PDB file of all heavy atoms in Angstrom:
ATOM      1  N   THR A   1     117.667  96.028  99.424  1.00 90.00           N
ATOM      2  CA  THR A   1     119.030  96.571  99.673  1.00 90.00           C
ATOM      3  C   THR A   1     119.217  97.891  98.871  1.00 90.00           C
ATOM      4  O   THR A   1     118.472  98.228  97.940  1.00 90.00           O
ATOM      5  CB  THR A   1     120.092  95.621  99.138  1.00 90.00           C
ATOM      6  OG1 THR A   1     120.005  95.418  97.680  1.00 90.00           O
ATOM      7  CG2 THR A   1     119.978  94.181  99.802  1.00 90.00           C
ATOM      8  N   HIS A   2     120.238  98.579  99.280  1.00 88.00           N
ATOM      9  CA  HIS A   2     120.512  99.869  98.633  1.00 88.00           C
ATOM     10  C   HIS A   2     120.779  99.740  97.187  1.00 88.00           C
ATOM     11  O   HIS A   2     120.331 100.514  96.349  1.00 88.00           O
ATOM     12  CB  HIS A   2     121.806 100.507  99.377  1.00 88.00           C
ATOM     13  CG  HIS A   2     122.340 101.691  98.661  1.00 88.00           C
ATOM     14  ND1 HIS A   2     121.823 102.993  98.872  1.00 88.00           N
ATOM     15  CD2 HIS A   2     123.314 101.826  97.748  1.00 88.00           C
ATOM     16  CE1 HIS A   2     122.486 103.811  98.102  1.00 88.00           C
ATOM     17  NE2 HIS A   2     123.319 103.125  97.388  1.00 88.00           N
ATOM     18  N   GLU A   3     121.472  98.666  96.852  1.00 92.00           N
ATOM     19  CA  GLU A   3     121.819  98.479  95.437  1.00 92.00           C
ATOM     20  C   GLU A   3     120.624  98.157  94.565  1.00 92.00           C
ATOM     21  O   GLU A   3     120.409  98.685  93.449  1.00 92.00           O
ATOM     22  CB  GLU A   3     122.847  97.357  95.270  1.00 92.00           C
ATOM     23  CG  GLU A   3     124.195  97.594  95.882  1.00 92.00           C
ATOM     24  CD  GLU A   3     124.241  97.624  97.401  1.00 92.00           C
ATOM     25  OE1 GLU A   3     123.298  97.134  98.036  1.00 92.00           O
ATOM     26  OE2 GLU A   3     125.250  98.005  97.959  1.00 92.00           O
ATOM     27  N   ILE A   4     119.634  97.336  95.070  1.00 93.00           N
ATOM     28  CA  ILE A   4     118.482  97.018  94.377  1.00 93.00           C
ATOM     29  C   ILE A   4     117.509  98.236  94.338  1.00 93.00           C
ATOM     30  O   ILE A   4     116.915  98.542  93.238  1.00 93.00           O
ATOM     31  CB  ILE A   4     117.678  95.868  95.049  1.00 93.00           C
ATOM     32  CG1 ILE A   4     118.540  94.569  94.935  1.00 93.00           C
ATOM     33  CG2 ILE A   4     116.320  95.652  94.382  1.00 93.00           C
ATOM     34  CD1 ILE A   4     117.978  93.402  95.708  1.00 93.00           C
ATOM     35  N   LEU A   5     117.481  98.984  95.377  1.00 92.00           N
ATOM     36  CA  LEU A   5     116.664 100.157  95.422  1.00 92.00           C
ATOM     37  C   LEU A   5     117.178 101.248  94.431  1.00 92.00           C
ATOM     38  O   LEU A   5     116.343 101.859  93.748  1.00 92.00           O
ATOM     39  CB  LEU A   5     116.618 100.753  96.789  1.00 92.00           C
ATOM     40  CG  LEU A   5     115.567 101.879  97.081  1.00 92.00           C
ATOM     41  CD1 LEU A   5     114.197 101.406  96.869  1.00 92.00           C
ATOM     42  CD2 LEU A   5     115.725 102.439  98.415  1.00 92.00           C
ATOM     43  N   ASP A   6     118.493 101.381  94.290  1.00 91.00           N
ATOM     44  CA  ASP A   6     119.036 102.338  93.364  1.00 91.00           C
ATOM     45  C   ASP A   6     118.587 102.054  91.961  1.00 91.00           C
ATOM     46  O   ASP A   6     118.235 102.933  91.220  1.00 91.00           O
ATOM     47  CB  ASP A   6     120.568 102.351  93.587  1.00 91.00           C
ATOM     48  CG  ASP A   6     121.227 103.343  92.719  1.00 91.00           C
ATOM     49  OD1 ASP A   6     120.891 104.549  92.799  1.00 91.00           O
ATOM     50  OD2 ASP A   6     122.097 103.029  91.868  1.00 91.00           O
ATOM     51  N   LEU A   7     118.735 100.779  91.571  1.00 93.00           N
ATOM     52  CA  LEU A   7     118.300 100.439  90.221  1.00 93.00           C
ATOM     53  C   LEU A   7     116.805 100.641  90.037  1.00 93.00           C
ATOM     54  O   LEU A   7     116.378 101.153  89.012  1.00 93.00           O
ATOM     55  CB  LEU A   7     118.656  98.955  89.938  1.00 93.00           C
ATOM     56  CG  LEU A   7     118.053  98.359  88.649  1.00 93.00           C
ATOM     57  CD1 LEU A   7     118.738  99.079  87.353  1.00 93.00           C
ATOM     58  CD2 LEU A   7     118.426  96.869  88.564  1.00 93.00           C
ATOM     59  N   SER A   8     115.979 100.231  91.009  1.00 92.00           N
ATOM     60  CA  SER A   8     114.546 100.345  90.871  1.00 92.00           C
ATOM     61  C   SER A   8     114.142 101.806  90.734  1.00 92.00           C
ATOM     62  O   SER A   8     113.216 102.096  89.955  1.00 92.00           O
ATOM     63  CB  SER A   8     113.898  99.744  92.152  1.00 92.00           C
ATOM     64  OG  SER A   8     114.307  98.395  92.380  1.00 92.00           O
ATOM     65  N   VAL A   9     114.770 102.694  91.494  1.00 91.00           N
ATOM     66  CA  VAL A   9     114.350 104.113  91.378  1.00 91.00           C
ATOM     67  C   VAL A   9     114.699 104.682  90.005  1.00 91.00           C
ATOM     68  O   VAL A   9     113.978 105.509  89.397  1.00 91.00           O
ATOM     69  CB  VAL A   9     115.019 104.967  92.500  1.00 91.00           C
ATOM     70  CG1 VAL A   9     114.797 106.372  92.292  1.00 91.00           C
ATOM     71  CG2 VAL A   9     114.401 104.515  93.836  1.00 91.00           C
ATOM     72  N   LYS A  10     115.867 104.203  89.469  1.00 92.00           N
ATOM     73  CA  LYS A  10     116.251 104.733  88.172  1.00 92.00           C
ATOM     74  C   LYS A  10     115.254 104.362  87.066  1.00 92.00           C
ATOM     75  O   LYS A  10     114.998 105.098  86.053  1.00 92.00           O
ATOM     76  CB  LYS A  10     117.580 104.125  87.755  1.00 92.00           C
ATOM     77  CG  LYS A  10     118.767 104.726  88.520  1.00 92.00           C
ATOM     78  CD  LYS A  10     120.020 104.083  88.137  1.00 92.00           C
ATOM     79  CE  LYS A  10     121.207 104.718  88.952  1.00 92.00           C
ATOM     80  NZ  LYS A  10     122.542 103.983  88.692  1.00 92.00           N
ATOM     81  N   VAL A  11     114.552 103.268  87.266  1.00 92.00           N
ATOM     82  CA  VAL A  11     113.446 102.839  86.296  1.00 92.00           C
ATOM     83  C   VAL A  11     112.394 103.853  86.163  1.00 92.00           C
ATOM     84  O   VAL A  11     111.876 104.104  85.083  1.00 92.00           O
ATOM     85  CB  VAL A  11     112.880 101.440  86.757  1.00 92.00           C
ATOM     86  CG1 VAL A  11     111.527 101.216  85.990  1.00 92.00           C
ATOM     87  CG2 VAL A  11     113.890 100.410  86.507  1.00 92.00           C
ATOM     88  N   LEU A  12     112.118 104.622  87.249  1.00 90.00           N
ATOM     89  CA  LEU A  12     111.063 105.630  87.197  1.00 90.00           C
ATOM     90  C   LEU A  12     111.489 106.872  86.455  1.00 90.00           C
ATOM     91  O   LEU A  12     110.632 107.709  86.119  1.00 90.00           O
ATOM     92  CB  LEU A  12     110.696 106.015  88.665  1.00 90.00           C
ATOM     93  CG  LEU A  12     110.166 104.946  89.504  1.00 90.00           C
ATOM     94  CD1 LEU A  12     109.994 105.390  90.943  1.00 90.00           C
ATOM     95  CD2 LEU A  12     108.734 104.481  88.970  1.00 90.00           C
ATOM     96  N   ALA A  13     112.696 106.963  86.099  1.00 81.00           N
ATOM     97  CA  ALA A  13     113.201 108.096  85.116  1.00 81.00           C
ATOM     98  C   ALA A  13     113.027 109.429  85.721  1.00 81.00           C
ATOM     99  O   ALA A  13     112.952 110.474  85.000  1.00 81.00           O
ATOM    100  CB  ALA A  13     112.618 107.939  83.769  1.00 81.00           C
ATOM    101  N   GLY A  14     112.886 109.574  86.990  1.00 71.00           N
ATOM    102  CA  GLY A  14     112.779 110.899  87.612  1.00 71.00           C
ATOM    103  C   GLY A  14     111.453 111.591  87.495  1.00 71.00           C
ATOM    104  O   GLY A  14     111.227 112.733  87.877  1.00 71.00           O
ATOM    105  N   ASP A  15     110.411 110.930  86.917  1.00 72.00           N
ATOM    106  CA  ASP A  15     109.150 111.539  86.692  1.00 72.00           C
ATOM    107  C   ASP A  15     108.460 111.719  87.990  1.00 72.00           C
ATOM    108  O   ASP A  15     108.377 110.765  88.838  1.00 72.00           O
ATOM    109  CB  ASP A  15     108.274 110.733  85.754  1.00 72.00           C
ATOM    110  CG  ASP A  15     108.724 110.824  84.336  1.00 72.00           C
ATOM    111  OD1 ASP A  15     109.645 111.601  84.025  1.00 72.00           O
ATOM    112  OD2 ASP A  15     108.144 110.186  83.433  1.00 72.00           O
ATOM    113  N   ALA A  16     107.855 112.875  88.258  1.00 71.00           N
ATOM    114  CA  ALA A  16     107.148 113.094  89.500  1.00 71.00           C
ATOM    115  C   ALA A  16     105.764 112.511  89.387  1.00 71.00           C
ATOM    116  O   ALA A  16     105.164 112.223  88.362  1.00 71.00           O
ATOM    117  CB  ALA A  16     106.976 114.605  89.766  1.00 71.00           C
ATOM    118  N   ALA A  17     105.175 112.225  90.599  1.00 78.00           N
ATOM    119  CA  ALA A  17     103.875 111.615  90.634  1.00 78.00           C
ATOM    120  C   ALA A  17     102.966 112.435  91.565  1.00 78.00           C
ATOM    121  O   ALA A  17     103.445 113.058  92.515  1.00 78.00           O
ATOM    122  CB  ALA A  17     103.871 110.207  91.210  1.00 78.00           C
ATOM    123  N   VAL A  18     101.738 112.585  91.239  1.00 79.00           N
ATOM    124  CA  VAL A  18     100.753 113.322  92.101  1.00 79.00           C
ATOM    125  C   VAL A  18     100.082 112.381  92.941  1.00 79.00           C
ATOM    126  O   VAL A  18      99.544 111.325  92.536  1.00 79.00           O
ATOM    127  CB  VAL A  18      99.749 114.101  91.191  1.00 79.00           C
ATOM    128  CG1 VAL A  18      98.742 114.820  92.022  1.00 79.00           C
ATOM    129  CG2 VAL A  18     100.481 115.079  90.231  1.00 79.00           C
ATOM    130  N   GLY A  19      99.980 112.725  94.238  1.00 79.00           N
ATOM    131  CA  GLY A  19      99.415 111.853  95.216  1.00 79.00           C
ATOM    132  C   GLY A  19      97.913 112.018  95.328  1.00 79.00           C
ATOM    133  O   GLY A  19      97.283 112.897  94.644  1.00 79.00           O
ATOM    134  N   LEU A  20      97.314 111.229  96.199  1.00 83.00           N
ATOM    135  CA  LEU A  20      95.883 111.257  96.344  1.00 83.00           C
ATOM    136  C   LEU A  20      95.395 112.547  96.997  1.00 83.00           C
ATOM    137  O   LEU A  20      94.207 112.879  97.048  1.00 83.00           O
ATOM    138  CB  LEU A  20      95.409 110.098  97.216  1.00 83.00           C
ATOM    139  CG  LEU A  20      95.718 108.691  96.577  1.00 83.00           C
ATOM    140  CD1 LEU A  20      95.161 107.597  97.537  1.00 83.00           C
ATOM    141  CD2 LEU A  20      95.136 108.527  95.261  1.00 83.00           C
ATOM    142  N   ASP A  21      96.319 113.311  97.685  1.00 80.00           N
ATOM    143  CA  ASP A  21      95.998 114.534  98.246  1.00 80.00           C
ATOM    144  C   ASP A  21      96.245 115.750  97.322  1.00 80.00           C
ATOM    145  O   ASP A  21      96.224 116.882  97.804  1.00 80.00           O
ATOM    146  CB  ASP A  21      96.819 114.751  99.607  1.00 80.00           C
ATOM    147  CG  ASP A  21      98.370 114.696  99.281  1.00 80.00           C
ATOM    148  OD1 ASP A  21      98.733 114.366  98.146  1.00 80.00           O
ATOM    149  OD2 ASP A  21      99.133 114.885 100.215  1.00 80.00           O
ATOM    150  N   ASP A  22      96.393 115.465  96.007  1.00 75.00           N
ATOM    151  CA  ASP A  22      96.618 116.434  95.004  1.00 75.00           C
ATOM    152  C   ASP A  22      97.986 117.129  95.081  1.00 75.00           C
ATOM    153  O   ASP A  22      98.238 118.083  94.402  1.00 75.00           O
ATOM    154  CB  ASP A  22      95.525 117.514  95.031  1.00 75.00           C
ATOM    155  CG  ASP A  22      94.140 116.968  94.684  1.00 75.00           C
ATOM    156  OD1 ASP A  22      94.128 115.948  93.806  1.00 75.00           O
ATOM    157  OD2 ASP A  22      93.156 117.395  95.290  1.00 75.00           O
ATOM    158  N   GLU A  23      98.828 116.665  96.003  1.00 79.00           N
ATOM    159  CA  GLU A  23     100.128 117.202  96.113  1.00 79.00           C
ATOM    160  C   GLU A  23     101.208 116.330  95.342  1.00 79.00           C
ATOM    161  O   GLU A  23     101.043 115.142  95.235  1.00 79.00           O
ATOM    162  CB  GLU A  23     100.522 117.236  97.572  1.00 79.00           C
ATOM    163  CG  GLU A  23      99.765 118.132  98.498  1.00 79.00           C
ATOM    164  CD  GLU A  23      99.989 119.599  98.184  1.00 79.00           C
ATOM    165  OE1 GLU A  23     101.034 119.962  97.639  1.00 79.00           O
ATOM    166  OE2 GLU A  23      99.110 120.415  98.575  1.00 79.00           O
ATOM    167  N   ALA A  24     102.230 117.070  94.805  1.00 75.00           N
ATOM    168  CA  ALA A  24     103.302 116.298  94.099  1.00 75.00           C
ATOM    169  C   ALA A  24     104.030 115.468  95.112  1.00 75.00           C
ATOM    170  O   ALA A  24     104.460 115.929  96.135  1.00 75.00           O
ATOM    171  CB  ALA A  24     104.185 117.231  93.346  1.00 75.00           C
ATOM    172  N   ASP A  25     104.121 114.161  94.810  1.00 79.00           N
ATOM    173  CA  ASP A  25     104.820 113.229  95.707  1.00 79.00           C
ATOM    174  C   ASP A  25     106.334 113.318  95.408  1.00 79.00           C
ATOM    175  O   ASP A  25     106.659 113.870  94.296  1.00 79.00           O
ATOM    176  CB  ASP A  25     104.368 111.854  95.576  1.00 79.00           C
ATOM    177  CG  ASP A  25     104.652 110.994  96.847  1.00 79.00           C
ATOM    178  OD1 ASP A  25     105.679 110.428  96.924  1.00 79.00           O
ATOM    179  OD2 ASP A  25     103.751 110.942  97.603  1.00 79.00           O
ATOM    180  N   THR A  26     107.165 112.833  96.270  1.00 79.00           N
ATOM    181  CA  THR A  26     108.598 112.919  96.056  1.00 79.00           C
ATOM    182  C   THR A  26     109.273 111.711  96.638  1.00 79.00           C
ATOM    183  O   THR A  26     108.764 111.042  97.536  1.00 79.00           O
ATOM    184  CB  THR A  26     109.189 114.206  96.686  1.00 79.00           C
ATOM    185  OG1 THR A  26     110.643 114.196  96.533  1.00 79.00           O
ATOM    186  CG2 THR A  26     108.896 114.255  98.218  1.00 79.00           C
TER     187      THR A  26
END
């Protein structure tokens, strides 16, 4: 649900991740 997803994404603290293709994921 939107509510669960909203909390889950906040856990990541906005840090970017680099994908397997060497590109910054979003």
Side-chain angles (χ1 to χ4, degrees):
T1 65
H2 171 84
E3 291 76 12
I4 294 172
L5 189 63
D6 183 57
L7 173 64
S8 303
V9 170
K10 286 178 180 175
V11 164
L12 296 172
D15 286 359
V18 177
L20 300 181
D21 57 355
D22 296 325
E23 297 288 339
D25 205 274
T26 176

